[in-house]
Amino acid sequence: MSQFKALLVSEENGAFVPRVVERDTSELPGGDVLVRVQYSSLNYKDALSASGNRGVSRNYPHTPGIDAAGVVEDSRVAEFAVGDEVLVTGYDLGMNTSGGFAQYIRVPAAWLIKRPAGLSLRESMLLGTAGLTAALCIDKLEQAGLTPEAGQVLVTGATGGVGSIAVALLARLGYSVAASTGKAEQSEFLRQLGAQQIVLRSELQEGADKPMLKERWAGAVDTVGGDILFNVVKSLRYGGSVACCGLTAGVGFKGSVMPFILRGVNLLGVDSVELPLVVKASMWDKLSVQWKLGNLDGLAREIGLEALPKAIEQILAGKLVGRVLVNLG
Ligand code: NDP
């Protein structure tokens, strides 16, 4: 048994209050592998969990954190030995299983992958679920036929975690990237990541009542959903595709079949959570070699557990820029 620090969210008179507390490994759920967490990262879903969203986390007190990277301290299975460096993203971690905003997690071996040789534990969490999701979106677009020669690719919610990594990855792969943002003042940040054009979010909100819009994008990574997503569908070029992964602008949209039957466009769903481990591992391999980004520190800031509650408020308000790396010390 070891004592460790964790962010614990408790329900108090209807409010959800996060506090850094001391916990004991005996309080962690059963599982195959005990991991001493070195880094985690903040994703939008963590903020939903920390603010009492029952669709994400049902029971409180609870420690959020859907991402964790660290070192195996105890293992009941042959695949993982004490001292192995491992990472876990998604599945039930941080949802209804005590998560990565803590110095220890205990998880099933079926959730863990060994650290890819080309990434440090720190780099893996600079990417985290956001990086994995951005990579999955681009992979799906390419499987649907997207190439850099096809034309410009749009990224919505571009200053967010998934969005900023999608911009950087697409630019790294030779695509011409248009970055859509509600934060005009962050245009220079987006250009430094590799965006060639900045599109204001308000521009993508126009025309929700029209059946079709002018053809603009060869492909798109959409992290926001809502009417913006369907406006993007309506402005895809003939045969183009949009990878849909997020919901910060809303979960519903008014749609019609017109763009699909007149322009043959594709709406591709992306899930990074329940994806089979073998697919996750192959995507991490890609992120560690062919798609490795050199400028990860430029799109992130590093914080400790104590600073998480403030960062959670910022991400919920749509005010965060880039990624937040959580150092568990
Ligand atoms: P972030 O908060 O880091 O990024 C979201 C971005 O969306 C913001 O930075 C902002 O970008 C934009 N945004 C915020 N509010 C609004 C709004 N009301 N209308 C339009 N745009 C808005 O979150 P993440 O990058 O961590 O996640 C992005 C989305 O993807 C979330 O919905 C998350 O739940 C989802 N997600 C899904 C995954 C999956 O497996 N399918 C995995 C990971 C994330 P800007 O100001 O630049 O426009």
Side-chain angles (χ1 to χ4, degrees):
M1 287 193 295
S2 310
Q3 295 271 306
F4 66 95
K5 278 192 182 156
L7 188 82
L8 193 70
V9 178
S10 307
E11 188 174 6
E12 294 173 13
N13 304 319
F16 291 83
V17 185
R19 284 194 192 87
V20 178
V21 299
E22 285 279 322
R23 297 191 72 191
D24 192 284
T25 49
S26 62
E27 296 167 31
L28 290 173
D32 305 317
V33 184
L34 181 70
V35 180
R36 170 67 170 87
V37 181
Q38 293 188 352
Y39 293 99
S40 179
S41 80
L42 178 62
N43 295 279
Y44 190 76
K45 198 182 207 176
D46 300 318
L48 295 179
S49 170
S51 55
N53 185 308
R54 302 278 179 189
V56 178
S57 299
R58 283 186 303 277
N59 303 311
Y60 296 83
H62 169 64
T63 292
I66 63 172
D67 287 345
V71 180
V72 172
E73 200 154 296
D74 187 30
S75 171
R76 291 187 203 156
V77 292
E79 306 99 278
F80 295 100
V82 172
D84 281 351
E85 294 189 328
V86 292
L87 51 124
V88 50
T89 64
Y91 301 120
D92 195 48
L93 188 72
M95 292 182 68
N96 292 296
T97 300
S98 190
F101 294 166
Q103 291 173 317
Y104 280 93
I105 55 170
R106 191 184 288 114
V107 291
W111 295 0
L112 286 172
I113 63 170
K114 294 213 173 125
R115 176 180 66 76
L119 286 176
S120 64
L121 289 176
R122 187 171 181 278
E123 286 172 322
S124 74
M125 288 295 105
L126 283 166
L127 292 163
T129 287
L132 175 66
T133 306
L136 286 166
C137 287
I138 296 166
D139 189 60
K140 270 219 166 165
L141 291 171
E142 291 195 335
Q143 282 180 38
L146 183 68
T147 60
E149 294 70 41
Q152 203 161 39
V153 179
L154 174 74
V155 176
T156 63
T159 67
V162 179
S164 56
I165 296 178
V167 170
L169 272 178
L170 284 163
R172 152 98 174 71
L173 297 174
Y175 288 90
S176 166
V177 186
S180 161
T181 183
K183 306 180 189 91
E185 72 282 4
Q186 293 298 335
S187 298
E188 190 45 38
F189 167 73
L190 292 169
R191 286 193 195 283
Q192 275 172 16
L193 293 182
Q196 291 189 352
Q197 192 191 339
I198 309 299
V199 180
L200 291 185
R201 186 194 297 166
S202 52
E203 194 184 319
L204 295 186
Q205 286 165 327
E206 289 165 13
D209 50 339
K210 295 192 179 155
M212 299 291 276
L213 294 169
K214 191 167 149 253
E215 289 184 55
R216 285 180 85 178
W217 320 113
V221 172
D222 177 63
T223 74
V224 305
D227 284 329
I228 290 179
L229 169 61
F230 205 66
N231 274 349
V232 172
V233 170
K234 289 186 282 185
S235 38
L236 287 171
R237 289 197 192 166
Y238 190 91
S241 305
V242 52
C244 149
C245 69
L247 48 67
T248 52
V251 291
F253 56 77
K254 269 195 286 186
S256 87
V257 298
M258 300 307 271
F260 302 104
I261 63 176
L262 294 181
R263 291 193 189 143
V265 300
N266 306 302
L267 176 53
L268 310 171
V270 171
D271 165 59
S272 68
V273 181
E274 293 299 331
L275 196 69
L277 193 69
V278 57
V279 186
K280 279 189 193 178
S282 74
M283 207 51 61
W284 278 110
D285 282 343
K286 220 169 195 178
L287 283 164
S288 70
V289 188
Q290 307 101 293
W291 289 12
K292 182 153 184 182
L293 291 171
N295 58 348
L296 282 174
D297 269 302
L299 54 77
R301 71 189 162 98
E302 188 167 333
I303 64 171
L305 279 180
E306 283 74 13
L308 257 174
K310 177 101 179 114
I312 287 168
E313 278 174 28
Q314 288 175 323
I315 201 169
L316 277 177
K319 289 193 174 143
L320 266 193
V321 173
R323 297 275 296 142
V324 173
L325 179 74
V326 184
N327 186 333
L328 279 310

